[in-house]
Amino acid sequence: MTEPLIIGAMVRTLGAYPSGWRQPGAHRDPATDADILRRIAREGEDGGLDYLFFGDWLATGPDLEFRDPYLLARIDPVSAVLFLAGVTSRIGLIATVNTTYADPYATARSLASLDVLTRGRAGINLVTGAEPRAAGNHGRDAHADNETRYDRAEEFVEALRRLWGSWGEEAWIADAERGVLIDPEALHAADLRGAHVQVAGPLSVARPPQGQIPIVHAGTSPRSRALAATEADLALIAAPTLADAIATRRLLRDIAAEAGRSPDALNVIAPVLPVVADTDADARRIVERLLALVPLAEDHQRARRAFPPDRTVAALADAFDVPADDPLRSAAFDAPVTAAEAVRLGERGARLIERLGLIAGLRVAGARVSGSGAAGGDTLTWRHLVAAHTVPAAFVVGDAGTIADHFETWRDEGAADGFNVLSAFQPAQFEAFARQAAPELRRRGLLRSAKESAGATLRDRLRISSYVDA
């Protein structure tokens, strides 16, 4: 029998699409994040998802309003999962920590504490970071080079594992009659003195229920892929197409095998942004509105500080190698894209237009977009085209069956072992996924059943074999 997928939610309270917060009823106030986090956690747990995932970014600035507004003001990931530990009982909780700046002992302690408090539901996503503003926020003049950052990250992982393993399984005796609380022989020092990380140990928290807490990592550089393939339990990938995902998963598994690790010990997780509604047509209308609300370089925006320079029709034309004297460069945002103009955008433009037909039911003026699945549909404008090009997203659009078809295809083709589900806006789109798509996924055996999830640790949910301390 084929294993269910691993399905978690990548939590972004302000929504995962830059214009999501502008949707009617969308959450848009960080001061009330506690309320929306409780709601997301309840929906995710009731929907049977395996985990909630909290990413991070250690800096902010006005440019993020237009590129990644959810990063402007967000709860620290470790604080978020500790907060949710008290309002959940089954779902895994994964927090991001940046190994470039974090202290390994404090990190091991906080994650072990979370694991104890949740009876084995903690996970950690390790990133190395490469952002000058983050360096400034941590008293650094410059960011460390890639090799140095990954050298430190590898030592950081070793420190975590030694600290989590510093309490043996039988170390805590608590024999009141004999007056013996611990077996000192089962309490070990970490004794790591690396070039970048030094830690003594033992850890001042009891042994985590999972023994070793699941580790997650993502990245595209050779060092990042090596770290994911050899040390991580979940490898997060960014793959725009099915073929890309198949190739990336195969590469990571090959790296794992070459390092002497079973490829089956590595779970490869792809991002997905499902837009879910009662019908495919309703879902496409949501995407069309998301595209229409992306801020573009209109006159009232050009004066805004740090506004992205690429959100113009001319920039789109540059990207598609349209000649400098082509009049389409001066097209108004809300003008329809004609069939003749579409031809001049070349092959890449044709692919983008076809995708907009699929995900939003939009068609070129005077011609139906092939494969849109709609007899009619709204007319494609330059606003839609510029927004879709400058703000790409892993959209999968439709009713519960359409979403499940996508998940099933990627599993069956060997593209992914699971998915990180992003929601364009909160709470409506996450609720739509949890209440409509998740039951269909469970019906098809793609999502673990409630019976299978009862009492499971995060390691159980991620199908990770027991870890033997060195």
Side-chain angles (χ1 to χ4, degrees), residues 367-423:
R368 177 182 169 185
V369 179
S370 174
S372 70
D378 292 331
T379 300
L380 177 70
T381 68
W382 290 100
R383 179 180 299 280
H384 297 128
L385 211 54
V386 173
H389 179 255
T390 58
V391 189
F395 281 124
V396 178
V397 182
D399 63 11
T402 299
I403 305 303
D405 287 345
H406 176 87
F407 281 44
E408 193 164 27
T409 297
W410 279 51
R411 181 195 67 177
D412 293 348
E413 294 292 331
D417 302 294
F419 292 91
N420 260 344
V421 174
L422 298 130
S423 295

Side-chain angles (χ1 to χ4, degrees), residues 157 161 212-217 224-236 249-268 417 459 462-467:
V157 170
R161 288 192 167 141
Q212 290 291 322
I213 292 168
I215 291 175
V216 183
H217 185 62
S224 178
R225 285 178 169 166
L227 182 64
T230 59
E231 301 293 348
D233 301 297
L234 292 188
L236 308 186
R249 181 173 181 266
R250 185 178 296 128
L251 172 63
L252 289 168
R253 289 169 65 86
D254 287 346
I255 295 171
E258 289 168 6
R261 182 186 189 192
S262 169
D264 294 332
L266 177 67
N267 293 300
V268 177
D417 302 294
R459 290 188 72 85
L462 302 183
R463 304 192 295 271
I464 304 170
S465 60
S466 298
Y467 190 94

Side-chain angles (χ1 to χ4, degrees), residues 2-182:
T2 305
E3 291 275 7
L5 288 163
I6 297 166
I7 301 178
M10 187 174 285
V11 179
R12 296 176 178 176
T13 57
L14 215 60
Y17 197 75
S19 61
W21 66 272
R22 300 181 66 186
Q23 291 286 319
H27 175 72
R28 57 179 66 108
D29 183 3
T32 60
D33 272 1
D35 298 331
I36 200 69
L37 286 175
R38 288 191 193 96
R39 191 165 173 175
I40 291 169
R42 182 176 64 248
E43 291 290 340
E45 198 157 70
D46 290 348
L49 271 63
D50 293 310
Y51 59 81
L52 299 176
F53 177 101
F54 291 83
D56 203 13
W57 194 255
L58 296 174
T60 194
D63 57 303
L64 295 175
E65 176 184 350
F66 310 106
R67 181 167 55 87
D68 296 302
Y70 70 92
L71 292 176
L72 274 169
R74 64 186 306 172
I75 302 297
D76 163 68
V78 176
S79 299
V81 294
L82 287 169
F83 169 69
L84 292 178
V87 298
T88 57
S89 60
R90 301 185 303 277
I91 199 165
L93 300 168
I94 300 176
T96 294
V97 172
N98 191 313
T99 62
T100 302
Y101 307 113
D103 175 77
Y105 186 89
T107 299
R109 188 171 186 238
S110 63
L111 268 294
S113 298
L114 174 66
D115 209 47
V116 170
L117 293 171
T118 60
R119 294 183 172 87
R121 294 187 287 123
I124 184 169
N125 174 46
L126 297 177
V127 300
T128 64
E131 214 274 340
R133 289 179 293 194
N137 285 341
H138 291 82
R140 315 282 179 87
D141 291 331
H143 212 83
D145 64 83
N146 189 70
E147 292 302 307
T148 299
R149 287 188 287 114
Y150 277 98
D151 288 346
R152 176 177 167 81
E154 289 171 355
E155 292 181 8
F156 200 102
V157 170
E158 179 65 21
L160 294 180
R161 288 192 167 141
R162 290 195 189 190
L163 288 165
W164 289 331
S166 60
W167 286 89
E169 289 190 71
E170 307 300 327
W172 200 267
I173 297 173
D175 186 330
E177 187 172 329
R178 292 191 296 136
V180 177
L181 192 60
I182 68 166

